[in-house]
Amino acid sequence: MPELPETETIARDLDGALRGAVVRSVELLRTDVLRPRAALARFRALQEARIARVWRRAKSIVIDCGDRALVVTPRFTGALLLDGTPDDTYTCLRFTLRDGRLLRYHDVRRLGSVALLDAPALAAWDAGLGPEPLDPALTTERFSGIIRASRRAVKTILMDQRRLAGVGNIYANEALWRAGIRPTARGASITRARLAALLEALRAVLTESIALRGTTFRDFRDAYGGRGGFAAHLQVYGRAGEPCTRCGAPLRATHALEGRQTVWCAGCQR
Ligand SMILES: [Zn+2]
């Protein structure tokens, strides 16, 4: 599932490719990805709109078109693909640009979503999300305040988009391993010094992954259908049972937190 680095990769590519382009037509082939479903007719308003900017917020790609924004959240198998990628039966939404290029939202399992929001709706959506981990305005004090305000497991808090935006299962597992913090540790019980180390680890792993265009573990594809290069650098995610690269103990796995696979090292995460 695309998290912050994967979504950032898509947004940066599309911003470079689409800024200033004009939408000639919009075709809706599978409407069940639209949020809300009733928004169908509103998509016609995108015809002749100029794309001003493409950016990322949390795990969504935001395409600013005139006075509206298209918010695409790929979730498990969604992808925003630009020209040159083969069209097929999983295309849900297709934009033809005035210059002849095609932009498609493709989603095999159709668990992703596409919403068309006006400015107040976009602001309300944005306000419901936590701060961005790479935003310098997120100080260590604010970050430790977010984690320490909850008695839930630190990994669960990291992945809660209302508290912190953009972090999912891959980078929560990796950052906690780097910081030497056990994923089940309760937020309120972790010292500020250890949380400062966690924020640093989180920023490092996200930045390194962005530089390699994200992690393709299974499904993630960038806007040109390419794979991310960070999977080879994962230390815990997908490595249950293998030795910890820091201390040699076998990595353990559980599904006890939110039903997602947590992988950690009992030897060096406390
Ligand atoms: Zn270890």
Side-chain angles (χ1 to χ4, degrees):
M1 166 162 179
E3 300 180 29
L4 189 158
E6 295 74 37
T7 321
E8 181 72 24
T9 298
I10 298 168
R12 287 183 186 180
D13 281 356
L14 292 180
D15 189 56
L18 296 178
R19 213 180 251 244
V22 174
V23 176
R24 189 169 68 200
S25 61
V26 185
E27 292 161 275
L28 292 157
L29 300 127
R30 293 172 184 270
T31 58
D32 52 356
V33 295
L34 301 185
R35 301 285 183 281
R37 295 285 293 278
L40 187 71
R42 293 170 53 204
F43 276 75
R44 293 196 191 98
L46 287 174
Q47 290 184 3
E48 303 306 321
R50 184 177 296 273
I51 297 173
R53 183 166 82 108
V54 185
W55 50 288
R56 178 194 61 77
R57 176 76 168 110
K59 300 183 222 174
S60 298
I61 298 134
V62 184
I63 305 177
D64 285 340
C65 307
D67 58 354
R68 282 151 221 261
L70 196 66
V71 178
V72 178
T73 310
R75 289 206 178 85
F76 295 94
T77 55
L80 263 174
L81 299 168
L82 195 60
D83 243 14
T85 49
D87 205 347
D88 61 32
T89 51
Y90 300 112
T91 295
C92 303
L93 193 60
R94 182 161 53 210
F95 294 89
T96 304
L97 305 177
R98 196 186 277 166
D99 58 22
R101 290 182 297 167
L102 288 178
L103 174 68
R104 296 182 298 115
Y105 178 68
H106 171 282
D107 196 340
V108 176
R109 291 169 63 194
R110 299 208 299 285
L111 296 168
S113 66
V114 178
L116 185 60
L117 305 180
D118 60 13
L122 185 69
W125 170 72
D126 178 76
L129 294 165
E132 289 285 335
L134 294 178
D135 183 348
L138 177 63
T139 59
T140 50
E141 290 73 27
R142 190 172 168 208
F143 177 76
S144 58
I146 290 168
I147 305 294
R148 288 170 56 85
S150 171
R151 291 194 48 78
R152 294 164 80 198
V154 58
K155 178 170 178 261
T156 303
I157 306 167
L158 285 177
M159 291 172 59
D160 181 346
Q161 301 301 297
R162 294 165 301 177
R163 293 175 190 266
L164 187 71
V167 179
N169 202 32
I170 295 177
Y171 300 100
N173 275 308
E174 294 295 314
L176 288 163
W177 179 83
R178 286 188 183 209
I181 296 173
R182 193 170 289 225
T184 49
R186 292 181 185 279
S189 74
I190 308 173
T191 64
R192 286 186 176 83
R194 300 189 80 206
L195 290 171
L198 178 59
L199 179 59
E200 201 172 307
L202 183 61
R203 285 178 163 161
V205 72
L206 294 171
T207 304
E208 289 164 29
S209 182
I210 290 170
L212 291 171
R213 303 180 59 77
T215 299
T216 297
F217 198 76
R218 203 170 288 124
D219 299 307
F220 166 66
R221 294 292 183 273
D222 66 26
Y224 300 99
R227 299 166 66 90
F230 194 69
H233 299 267
L234 297 172
Q235 299 296 318
V236 282
Y237 184 84
R239 296 190 66 242
E242 294 179 32
C244 170
T245 56
R246 189 162 48 205
C247 76
L251 296 174
R252 297 195 189 172
T254 176
H255 281 83
L257 297 176
E258 316 294 311
R260 304 294 303 277
Q261 192 180 50
T262 297
V263 185
W264 86 103
C265 176
C268 62
Q269 284 177 264
R270 307 260 161 216

